[in-house]
Amino acid sequence: MQSYQQMQKEALQKFEALREKPLVLVGTATCGRAAGALNVLAAFQNEISRNQLDARLREVGCMGHCYAEPMVIIYKPGFPPLCYGPVDEGMASRLVVDFLINDDPCFEFAIAALEPNDFFPTFSDYPRGIYENKIILADCGLIDPEDIDQYLAHDGYEALARVLNMDPVAVIEEIKNSKLRGRGGAGFPTGIKWETCNNAPGAPKYVICNADEGDPGAFMDRALLESNPHQVLEGLAIAAYAIGASQGYIYVRAEYPLAVARVQTALKQARERGLLGESILGGDFSFDIKIFQGSGAFVCGEETALIASIEGSAGVPNNRPPYPATSGLRGKPTVINNVKTLSYVPHIIRQGADWFKSIGTPNSPGTAVFALAGKVSNTGLAEVPMGTTIRQLVFDVGNGIKNDKKFKAVQIGGPSGGCLPESALDIPIDFDSLQQAGAMMGSGGLVVLDEDDCMVEIARFFLDFTQKESCGKCTFCRLGTKQMLDILTDITRGQGKQEDIELLLELAEDIKAGSLCGLGKTAPNPVLTTIRYFRDEYEAHIQEGRCPALMCKDLITYYIVPEKCSKLCNVCIGSCPVEAIFTRPDMLKAIYLDKCVKCNSCMVACPPQYQAVIKISPPVVEEGDKADEQASDNNH
Amino acid sequence: MELQPGELEIIQAEVETVLQGYGSERENLIPILQDVQNKLGYLPKEAMQQIADGLNIPEIDVYGVGTFYNQFRLNPPGKHQIKVCMGTACHMMGGHIILDSFERRLSIKEGETTPDREFSLERVACVGCCALAPVVVVDEKVESKVSPIRVDGIMLAFEIEKQKSEEEKGQGEEGREQ
């Protein structure tokens, strides 16, 4: 058996040798692929072989800068490593010819350099780089996820090698000291969970990595599994050693085929190196991991439902206690940790609990990973210390709102979280402060909303989601969310009643109190926070039949402003999928309101120099249109 | 949905192969259902009955699990699969309008397959392309920033393709006759 030191030394040599020749890294995580990374990869391949270059091409994961996908990093001896994006096939061939052959680094396509140099700024010269403090995302997008040596060269599995010489209780003590809190959403102290499980009688014990990321708008677990799967495996192996488990599971969504494939490869390589399986690194500890593919049920993020799912049943949660830590999978003590939580573990073991506590806030140490989406300019993944404010996240890290629109709110934490308004922008984000504000860390999805987004509609959207995903076990969750959804739907249709807001608040309290699991307990959060911060929008819908953001379909009409309409252009007519737009006798265009499906096509299609199509709320039925309609019918 | 001639035999053979790869423990139910759906594209009633026998559990348990999880479908997929993304970003950018448009064009509801099994329509939670919303996945190809008029375009492209292949077929047959 090769010793860890020897293995790491060889990996490091191999890794350094890779940099001696030009090296091109293409980010081909799912997000990159959606933006066309595979075409870019093929273009590099063709160009390199066409020019018979001695250069290497590797696929890597996601760096988190999704707004700039597909991303490419080029290492060429004599130049600082440079990052380019968004790259297309044409740029790829220019980079090969101009940079790899002719020494022109094409600064015009570059985003940043990876190391300080005299020519080009690095990521840490941008506001995003100043706020970001990457721990678990640090190697994502820089190392090949399908090559264990690259992880080993970045001190991978060193923490595992180290804990194997430690007493399991000392490992738990270190994690407890670090005050690491579970990143799955609720923020339960990880060390205490491990300690409970370690003390619980019963064998065998199990560890499960929860990678059932079901929140719409969150994709960090996927990115971690696709970009650095070994980091998660190492964390899981350390957890297993600490509690004395010999079998582990990764419960990953079947909707993430690339993540499943890359984890499978990682498992195989770890077993080949003796880092998983029988007597790890030649010691007494044996541990292996199986992949279990979840099948798309949001509630399976809940520990007890996840266990039911592995056992072959519908994912219906059970009452706690007993907690899985004392009685989990097959009735045995089981630790379930999120992908992110486990990813922190190797770093804490390597750098110590004190280092971890020096980052973030006293009660929530470390960093938080957010998925920035919605109306923010620079979408993607950002890892910032706990305690960073929402304002810094949206305006500095995310570079503000798209298209110069006005900021309205952030929806944080997915369906379990809530909407926070401008007045909450300066809240330092950690588990406790968000809870106080009525939201939740949840999985870290952060959707930015602007003035065109209706808050009642957002609340309705999330209620629709939780109502569909409710497993149906608790009456309050099953029927209560349905009731809330019906009320919200009525409001967005202009059929809201005066007493609806109070009724919603009352229902919310009951659902919170009467539900067994987190899904039900947090389901009312989007409604509660939108009422708390945007009550005026609810009132406008109910009292005036008006949607202030001009979003609710039943409360708006489309209208073509005669003064702005160019009589000669027919673009709107061509754009309408239901033939609701017609030419009036005076050649101006108008809309049959009864035919219109309010699809927004004409508004998008109307040339920007006219902008003749507008939305009106409350909706108006113009007498004139009817007359025109009849006139036009008569003409036929 | 009615089985087509010869389909039952295929179902039985495939399910048998899958069942042989697993033990008869209840814990294998979900992986078995996933494998069967991978092979057949959906979970026919006949397959679920056979799996229940194979694992020695009541049929209702198999059906219960099959209907609980979003991944499993009880209708055969169409030749062309259309998936409309309904994530937060897509919803805010009008994903539901796109779904409406497809429902109108295909005269089916989401989750259904057209009677000629040409098209199936699904809503999916999030395909992770939030910056390109609203997004539709048509036969594995991601269509970004889709508008209702683009929906017509997508359907028209299929129609033209179908016409072309029928013409070619027609020509081929004529050639043979000569």
Side-chain angles (χ1 to χ4, degrees):
Chain A
M1 175 75 52
Q2 207 181 16
S3 79
Y4 173 76
Q5 279 72 21
Q6 209 184 335
M7 196 169 8
Q8 203 215 9
K9 204 176 135 203
E10 279 172 22
L12 203 59
Q13 279 166 354
K14 213 174 122 189
F15 186 74
E16 275 163 5
L18 202 61
R19 299 268 188 279
E20 282 164 10
K21 287 174 186 163
L23 172 68
V24 179
L25 305 179
V26 180
T28 57
T30 303
C31 38
R33 291 179 181 210
L38 291 182
N39 293 342
V40 172
L41 185 74
F44 270 109
Q45 191 112 52
N46 290 340
E47 238 7 77
I48 288 175
S49 64
R50 200 169 64 85
N51 291 292
Q52 295 179 333
L53 279 185
D54 190 12
R56 292 178 178 107
L57 186 61
R58 285 283 188 115
E59 286 183 52
V60 293
C62 170
M63 275 185 89
H65 295 261
C66 296
Y67 60 95
E69 297 275 19
M71 279 182 83
V72 169
I73 297 171
I74 297 183
Y75 290 87
K76 185 175 177 180
F79 291 89
L82 285 162
C83 184
Y84 301 87
V87 178
D88 58 23
E89 286 120 298
M91 258 185 229
S93 47
R94 272 205 50 197
L95 282 168
V96 172
V97 177
D98 290 1
F99 187 17
L100 295 186
I101 301 178
N102 290 326
D103 285 347
D104 166 17
C106 301
F107 283 131
E108 65 272 29
F109 306 147
I111 311 176
L114 297 180
E115 289 160 13
N117 62 84
D118 297 335
F119 311 103
F120 208 75
T122 60
F123 278 115
S124 50
D125 294 324
Y126 294 99
R128 190 185 187 107
I130 292 171
Y131 287 102
E132 276 203 295
N133 182 352
K134 290 190 178 183
I135 299 173
I136 57 174
L137 289 183
D139 294 332
C140 292
L142 299 178
I143 62 171
D144 183 346
E146 303 198 351
D147 180 358
I148 190 172
D149 280 326
Q150 300 216 344
Y151 183 63
L152 284 166
H154 281 73
D155 298 328
Y157 289 108
E158 192 194 309
L160 178 64
R162 194 181 300 182
V163 295
L164 293 180
N165 297 320
M166 284 165 74
D167 184 47
V169 175
V171 179
I172 294 174
E173 221 30 64
E174 187 75 14
I175 298 296
K176 256 173 81 183
N177 265 339
S178 75
K179 288 188 169 178
L180 172 66
R181 295 174 69 170
R183 290 326 200 239
F188 188 80
T190 305
I192 292 180
K193 203 185 239 183
W194 289 14
E195 189 175 49
T196 315
C197 188
N198 189 41
N199 291 340
K205 292 178 180 176
Y206 299 103
V207 285
I208 301 174
C209 168
N210 182 352
D212 185 58
E213 188 175 50
D215 272 16
F219 48 95
M220 53 283 273
D221 291 355
R222 191 209 76 213
L224 278 166
L225 292 175
E226 287 176 355
S227 310
N228 198 356
H230 286 288
Q231 187 174 248
V232 185
L233 301 189
E234 188 181 2
L236 196 58
I238 294 170
Y241 179 78
I243 65 152
S246 56
Q247 181 64 53
Y249 290 87
I250 295 188
Y251 188 99
V252 57
R253 301 180 74 198
E255 288 94 327
Y256 287 170
L258 184 65
V260 173
R262 286 188 173 169
V263 172
Q264 251 153 5
T265 310
L267 284 175
K268 192 169 148 269
Q269 291 176 344
R271 283 187 202 119
E272 282 165 8
R273 294 299 176 90
L275 293 161
L276 277 181
E278 291 294 312
S279 69
I280 291 176
L281 289 170
D284 308 330
F285 177 55
S286 298
F287 172 67
D288 210 339
I289 300 171
K290 267 192 199 156
I291 296 178
F292 187 93
Q293 295 193 32
S295 355
F298 181 64
V299 67
C300 287
E302 174 78 17
E303 296 185 338
T304 53
L306 187 151
I307 287 169
S309 176
I310 296 186
E311 289 174 349
S313 305
V316 177
N318 279 317
N319 234 332
R320 300 185 305 176
Y323 288 92
T326 50
S327 172
L329 184 63
R330 297 165 198 144
K332 304 296 180 195
T334 305
V335 156
I336 303 181
N337 283 142
N338 177 265
V339 175
K340 281 158 282 176
T341 318
L342 291 170
S343 297
Y344 284 107
V345 167
H347 296 275
I348 294 172
I349 298 292
R350 237 177 23 234
Q351 305 188 58
D354 290 332
W355 159 81
F356 191 71
K357 274 190 288 192
S358 70
I359 303 162
T361 59
N363 282 326
S364 302
T367 55
V369 182
F370 288 100
L372 293 176
K375 308 289 174 68
V376 65
S377 298
N378 291 359
T379 52
L381 291 181
E383 183 172 358
V384 294
M386 291 276 185
T388 306
T389 65
I390 301 176
R391 188 188 298 280
Q392 287 162 340
L393 252 183
V394 175
F395 289 93
D396 296 321
V397 177
N399 203 16
I401 311 295
K402 261 181 206 163
N403 304 329
D404 292 323
K405 294 272 185 180
K406 205 169 157 293
F407 172 88
K408 187 172 201 172
V410 287
Q411 206 290 332
I412 196 164
S416 316
C419 293
L420 301 179
E422 198 166 6
S423 62
L425 273 178
D426 292 309
I427 293 180
I429 305 171
D430 63 38
F431 290 103
D432 309 316
S433 65
L434 283 177
Q435 214 132 37
Q436 271 163 23
M440 223 179 112
M441 191 74 126
S443 56
L446 195 136
V447 182
V448 180
L449 307 173
D450 71 10
E451 52 193 309
D452 296 336
D453 294 318
C454 171
M455 303 312 289
V456 187
E457 172 57 25
I458 271 278
R460 194 203 61 76
F461 169 75
F462 282 111
L463 248 289
D464 182 49
F465 181 85
T466 42
Q467 193 266 323
K468 282 202 180 85
E469 293 293 337
S470 168
C471 78
K473 183 170 186 168
C474 311
T475 319
F476 277 104
C477 176
R478 181 178 69 243
L479 298 178
T481 54
K482 175 84 175 80
Q483 195 66 33
M484 275 185 128
L485 176 63
D486 287 346
I487 297 172
L488 288 166
T489 309
D490 279 349
I491 297 178
T492 56
R493 287 193 176 145
Q495 294 155 359
K497 291 187 273 304
Q498 209 65 38
E499 63 275 15
D500 278 351
I501 298 181
E502 294 314 312
L503 192 56
L504 281 173
L505 292 173
E506 215 174 285
L507 271 168
E509 291 314 314
D510 294 342
I511 294 169
K512 275 185 161 186
S515 299
L516 187 69
C517 82
L519 186 140
K521 280 189 203 301
T522 58
N525 278 354
V527 183
L528 285 174
T529 47
T530 45
I531 294 181
R532 176 160 154 194
Y533 296 116
F534 300 94
R535 202 184 179 109
D536 53 327
E537 281 195 36
Y538 279 83
E539 284 164 352
H541 280 76
I542 295 170
Q543 287 159 13
E544 302 161 41
R546 186 170 66 85
C547 174
L550 300 173
M551 189 176 184
C552 296
K553 251 168 120 181
D554 294 291
L555 299 183
I556 53 169
T557 36
Y558 283 79
Y559 176 70
I560 297 175
V561 184
E563 294 77 39
K564 288 187 174 176
C565 178
S566 154
K567 295 178 180 180
L568 302 173
C569 142
N570 280 323
V571 174
C572 54
I573 295 186
S575 78
C576 181
V578 291
E579 292 167 12
I581 307 181
F582 64 100
T583 309
R584 306 195 320 190
D586 56 3
M587 296 306 284
L588 289 169
K589 311 293 179 267
I591 302 173
Y592 291 136
L593 294 181
D594 51 343
K595 276 192 188 171
C596 176
V597 291
K598 301 176 185 176
C599 72
N600 216 34
S601 291
C602 51
M603 197 158 167
V604 176
C606 186
Q609 65 266 37
Y610 307 135
Q611 290 184 343
V613 184
I614 59 164
K615 290 189 267 191
I616 302 175
S617 184
V620 272
V621 180
E622 294 226 333
E623 289 303 315
D625 276 341
K626 286 223 165 129
D628 288 337
E629 195 176 319
Q630 271 161 6
S632 137
D633 280 347
N634 291 341
N635 287 343
H636 282 306
Chain B
M1 188 154 276
E2 288 295 309
L3 290 184
Q4 286 167 347
E7 212 177 336
L8 183 64
E9 288 72 37
I10 299 174
I11 291 170
Q12 285 171 339
E14 291 286 9
V15 174
E16 194 46 47
T17 327
V18 171
L19 282 174
Q20 275 167 6
Y22 289 95
S24 59
E25 298 87 32
R26 165 85 194 232
E27 278 190 13
N28 295 318
L29 177 57
I30 292 175
I32 288 174
L33 291 176
Q34 285 169 337
D35 275 8
V36 169
Q37 177 160 301
N38 273 343
K39 292 247 165 72
L40 299 172
Y42 73 117
L43 297 178
K45 191 171 70 192
E46 294 74 11
M48 289 196 278
Q49 288 163 346
Q50 205 177 334
I51 294 168
D53 286 344
L55 293 181
N56 207 10
I57 52 175
E59 281 172 30
I60 179 79
D61 282 13
V62 179
Y63 184 75
V65 168
T67 49
F68 182 84
Y69 294 99
N70 299 333
Q71 187 194 9
F72 300 120
R73 58 161 108 209
L74 306 181
N75 285 318
K79 210 171 107 198
H80 300 293
Q81 295 181 31
I82 296 163
K83 296 173 188 149
V84 184
C85 180
M86 284 288 154
T88 316
C90 286
H91 176 75
M92 299 321 277
M93 301 299 283
H96 54 289
I97 295 173
I98 304 305
L99 185 63
D100 281 353
S101 304
F102 274 112
E103 288 183 343
R104 201 168 51 233
R105 288 286 144 191
L106 294 169
S107 314
I108 50 170
K109 294 271 165 229
E110 52 109 352
E112 294 180 350
T113 305
T114 52
D116 59 1
R117 295 208 187 174
E118 198 67 22
F119 296 99
S120 56
L121 183 62
E122 269 177 82
R123 57 188 293 157
V124 290
C126 184
V127 293
C129 306
C130 308
L132 309 169
V135 170
V136 176
V137 187
V138 181
D139 291 342
E140 308 300 310
K141 184 172 178 280
V142 179
E143 295 268 352
S144 55
K145 298 187 178 159
V146 180
S147 63
I149 200 81
R150 177 77 196 122
V151 170
D152 290 356
I154 292 169
M155 297 315 301
L156 187 66
F158 280 126
E159 233 163 76
I160 292 172
E161 202 180 297
K162 201 179 161 192
Q163 267 175 14
K164 236 195 223 163
S165 73
E166 267 169 18
E167 265 169 36
E168 274 167 22
K169 227 167 102 189
Q171 274 172 1
E173 272 163 19
E174 268 169 40
R176 243 178 285 146
E177 273 165 24
Q178 280 169 0

